[in-house]
Amino acid sequence: MSQSRTPRNHAVLRPGDRITARALSPVTGSPLTVPAPDGGLTHLQFRRFAGCPVCNLHLRSVAVRHPEIQAAGILEIAVFHSPAGELRQYADTFPFALVADPGKRLYAEFGVESAPRALLDPRVWFHVLRAVLRSTAMLVRGREGLPSRRQPHGRLGLPADFLLAPDGTVLAAKYGEHAYDQWTVDELLQLASRAPQSPSAPR
């Protein structure tokens, strides 16, 4: 579960690196401290734009297993490079925090980039088809809206996952090679099971 081997323009975070604590404001709910201040772990995942069909496909798999993630002592947070107003319409459909980063400040800090291979890599095509079919069905049923046509940061964002210890140490990191290249829930839980336990961490 290491970071991508592809060269990047920004600094890549590796296991053992440490981030500084900061407050993040979800589009709904109270501000969060990252890393989690209660001795638990934090899973910070970077997605693309609000309403991204590929992102929604993956996040649904995270949502249905969120109780398992919580039971493992993991705070789940998903970051998007869309304005809060666009992202807020999706917040009620996910049981974890969604954070808007339209200036891509966090993306730059964590070394998360965009590239044509996000959608051109053949490994993503099947998932794109699944995502479009799902989103079309949800749109017809009136359960989801269309994403904004205007995407200032484009549609070629690459996902990334970071598992953070309570002191901000990066325990594991993954930089996606295409738009659907991220940890599965099983992989996340496996990584968390190997993490050193803080005395105050949930059991």
Side-chain angles (χ1 to χ4, degrees):
M1 307 304 170
S2 62
Q3 67 281 343
S4 166
R5 293 170 295 176
T6 303
R8 297 173 182 275
N9 296 328
H10 298 295
V12 171
L13 293 180
R14 295 178 171 83
D17 291 343
R18 184 175 294 185
I19 68 163
T20 57
R22 79 283 311 283
L24 297 181
S25 297
V27 294
T28 59
S30 303
L32 300 171
T33 300
V34 175
D38 60 359
L41 304 174
T42 302
H43 177 214
L44 191 64
Q45 60 170 302
F46 288 79
R47 306 307 312 178
R48 302 183 333 133
F49 52 89
C52 162
V54 175
C55 300
N56 286 348
L57 181 65
H58 171 64
L59 290 180
R60 294 298 168 190
S61 70
V62 177
V64 297
R65 299 185 63 184
H66 190 242
E68 295 176 63
I69 295 172
Q70 287 183 307
I74 304 170
L75 172 64
E76 185 72 39
I77 302 174
V79 182
F80 289 77
H81 58 67
S82 293
E86 292 180 16
L87 189 56
R88 193 170 290 117
Q89 63 178 306
Y90 300 95
D92 291 341
T93 62
F94 295 110
F96 44 82
L98 305 183
V99 172
D101 183 23
K104 298 194 78 172
R105 177 182 59 83
L106 286 172
Y107 287 78
E109 181 179 345
F110 282 77
V112 183
E113 297 187 336
S114 300
R117 67 179 183 277
L119 296 177
L120 296 181
D121 190 315
R123 292 173 294 179
V124 78
W125 295 346
F126 172 70
H127 301 292
V128 169
L129 177 60
R130 289 174 57 215
V132 170
L133 290 174
R134 179 200 167 276
S135 292
T136 299
M138 297 297 284
L139 178 64
V140 170
R141 296 173 189 171
R143 297 175 64 180
E144 284 185 8
L146 288 171
S148 173
R149 291 186 178 182
R150 183 176 178 272
Q151 297 296 336
H153 295 294
R155 299 172 184 269
L156 300 177
L158 292 164
D161 294 271
F162 302 91
L163 185 64
L164 307 175
D167 66 354
T169 299
V170 177
L171 299 175
K174 179 179 178 66
Y175 290 91
E177 289 295 320
H178 55 73
Y180 202 74
D181 184 22
Q182 65 270 310
W183 289 334
T184 66
V185 174
D186 284 336
E187 289 172 328
L188 172 63
L189 295 176
Q190 186 177 44
L191 288 167
S193 72
R194 301 173 185 166
Q197 287 290 327
S198 168
S200 59
R203 301 279 180 179

